């Protein structure tokens, strides 16, 4: 294990919270500043859309701008301008994003039967709402965590017949995806772009959609704040002493994890 060359953080619940009004608290600012001075780049890896992520970055008022951005848990952007609050400053990694979109087009074509199964299941479970922005089922919103647990059980069974089908869960929200596209694979692609090994990456996250990047395959140092879901805490604990579960919430917890592995 060596110097941390890349910090990869989730956004909501990891950098900020509603309690913090989306702002970067002073403890986190100090930790970010320290890891930056140590030479690390910063990737924000989120399930937010590009526009929503940019709004969040603007509201965050971090001491410096992230260098890379992953949105929708799958599309990669690199900052090429100073002003991270402008969409024009974010350049897509074209090869990755285009292939990603193509794989998802194919997924919906070859797995129409799987999505029909989802539609049938939703019809008899009114506690979940399908999200179909362009006539295809992109995701689901559930009325509670337990309703989402039920849906996840159903989807895990469905996946046995449709192995390319995967999903990203973030609390009561879920987005369908191709199994090759998640926060772990996007982190790997960014690491390749920079030319660094997983052993020099610190990843921090709090929810189910962070599980794939919170893995020694993709990051040598793993951090989660105390508000993390039990599955995330369990996975980070497995990687001790290079996995750290903070006793502090949100940005304060992430800051504590950064300090721990920076020293
Ligand atoms: Mg989160």
């Amino acid at each position: 294990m060596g110097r941390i060359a890349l910090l990869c953080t989730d956004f909501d619940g990891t950098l900020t919270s509603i309690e913090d009004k989306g702002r970067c608290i002073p403890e986190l600012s100090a930790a970010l500043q320290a890891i930056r001075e140590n030479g690390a780049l910063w990737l924000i890896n989120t399930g937010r859309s590009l526009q929503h992520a940019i709004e969040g970055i603007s509201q965050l008022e971090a001491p410096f701008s992230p260098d890379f951005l992953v949105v929708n848990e799958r599309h990669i952007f690199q900052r090429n301008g100073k002003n991270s609050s402008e969409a024009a400053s974010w350049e897509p990694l074209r090869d990755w994003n285009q292939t990603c979109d193509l794989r998802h087009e194919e997924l919906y074509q070859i797995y129409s039967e799987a999505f029909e199964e989802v539609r049938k299941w939703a019809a008899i479970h009114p506690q979940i709402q399908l999200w179909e922005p362009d006539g295809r089922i992109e995701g689901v919103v559930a009325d509670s965590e337990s309703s989402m647990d039920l849906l996840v059980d159903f989807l895990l069974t469905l996946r046995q017949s449709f192995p390319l089908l995967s999903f990203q869960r973030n609390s009561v929200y879920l987005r369908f995806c191709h199994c090759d596209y998640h926060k772990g694979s996007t982190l790997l692609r960014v690491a390749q772009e920079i030319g660094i090994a997983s052993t020099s990456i610190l990843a921090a996250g709090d929810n189910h959609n962070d599980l794939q990047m919170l893995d020694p395959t993709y990051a040598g140092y793993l951090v989660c704040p105390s508000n993390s879901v039990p599955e995330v805490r369990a996975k980070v604990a497995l990687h001790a002493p290079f996995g750290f579960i903070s006793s502090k919430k949100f940005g304060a917890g992430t800051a504590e994890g950064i300090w721990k592995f920076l020293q």
Side-chain angles (χ1 to χ4, degrees), residues 185-228:
S185 59
T186 51
L187 170 55
L188 175 64
R189 180 65 186 84
V190 170
Q192 287 167 346
E193 188 70 18
I194 305 167
I196 58 163
S198 62
T199 47
S200 57
I201 296 172
L202 186 159
D206 72 314
N207 220 300
H208 293 97
N209 61 345
D210 297 308
L211 281 167
Q212 280 155 303
M213 75 170 180
L214 294 172
D215 191 297
T217 309
Y218 302 112
Y221 304 95
L222 309 178
V223 168
C224 68
S226 66
N227 52 289
S228 300

Side-chain angles (χ1 to χ4, degrees), residues 25 28 54 57-58 62-63 70 77 87 105 125 145 154 185 200 217 223 240:
I25 58 166
L28 180 61
I54 289 171
I57 291 168
S58 171
V70 168
F77 293 82
E105 288 297 328
H125 294 84
E145 293 281 348
F154 164 71
S185 59
S200 57
T217 309
V223 168

Side-chain angles (χ1 to χ4, degrees), residues 125-240:
H125 294 84
Q127 63 272 40
I128 70 152
Q129 287 280 313
L130 298 180
W131 177 50
E132 302 178 83
D134 295 309
R136 71 182 196 189
I137 304 171
E138 298 278 351
V140 170
V141 184
D143 67 355
S144 66
E145 293 281 348
S146 58
S147 299
M148 186 54 91
D149 288 341
L150 265 185
L151 173 68
V152 165
D153 286 344
F154 164 71
L155 293 176
L156 292 175
T157 309
L158 188 66
R159 280 191 68 181
Q160 291 170 10
S161 310
F162 301 94
L164 298 179
L165 178 66
S166 187
F167 55 86
Q168 300 301 326
R169 175 184 182 178
N170 191 358
S171 166
V172 296
Y173 303 95
L174 181 144
R175 174 184 284 114
F176 291 102
C177 63
H178 185 291
C179 65
D180 290 345
Y181 293 88
H182 47 79
K183 290 191 181 192
S185 59
T186 51
L187 170 55
L188 175 64
R189 180 65 186 84
V190 170
Q192 287 167 346
E193 188 70 18
I194 305 167
I196 58 163
S198 62
T199 47
S200 57
I201 296 172
L202 186 159
D206 72 314
N207 220 300
H208 293 97
N209 61 345
D210 297 308
L211 281 167
Q212 280 155 303
M213 75 170 180
L214 294 172
D215 191 297
T217 309
Y218 302 112
Y221 304 95
L222 309 178
V223 168
C224 68
S226 66
N227 52 289
S228 300
V229 297
E231 292 88 338
V232 162
R233 298 162 63 91
K235 191 152 182 209
V236 169
L238 272 181
H239 194 46

Side-chain angles (χ1 to χ4, degrees), residues 27-131:
E27 286 149 283
L28 180 61
S29 281
L32 288 172
Q33 194 75 53
I35 199 167
R36 186 62 152 193
E37 281 162 14
N38 219 39
L41 295 176
W42 182 20
L43 157 66
I44 292 183
N45 202 333
T46 177
R48 287 186 178 213
S49 66
L50 180 61
Q51 195 195 335
H52 191 205
I54 289 171
E55 285 166 12
I57 291 168
S58 171
Q59 200 177 7
L60 190 64
E61 295 182 3
F64 60 94
S65 298
D67 306 282
F68 289 89
L69 188 53
V70 168
V71 297
N72 307 318
E73 293 120 354
R74 65 174 79 141
H75 293 119
I76 306 175
F77 293 82
Q78 182 168 14
R79 184 168 53 82
N80 65 1
K82 276 208 159 158
N83 190 351
S84 56
S85 305
E86 283 177 6
S89 296
W90 292 98
E91 185 77 29
L93 249 67
R94 282 183 215 286
D95 61 335
W96 175 274
N97 292 358
Q98 285 172 357
T99 307
C100 168
D101 289 341
L102 197 64
R103 290 286 166 276
H104 284 88
E105 288 297 328
E106 287 168 1
L107 186 80
Y108 280 92
Q109 281 173 19
I110 63 173
Y111 278 1
S112 56
E113 232 181 290
F115 289 102
E116 269 320 299
E117 291 297 320
V118 172
R119 191 183 297 286
K120 278 189 223 159
W121 196 89
I124 52 171
H125 294 84
Q127 63 272 40
I128 70 152
Q129 287 280 313
L130 298 180
W131 177 50

Side-chain angles (χ1 to χ4, degrees), residues 5-39:
L6 177 66
L7 170 69
C8 171
T9 61
D10 164 50
F11 204 117
D12 300 280
T14 300
L15 293 175
T16 65
S17 68
I18 295 167
E19 283 176 26
D20 303 324
K21 298 187 171 64
R23 295 281 299 274
C24 185
I25 58 166
E27 286 149 283
L28 180 61
S29 281
L32 288 172
Q33 194 75 53
I35 199 167
R36 186 62 152 193
E37 281 162 14
N38 219 39

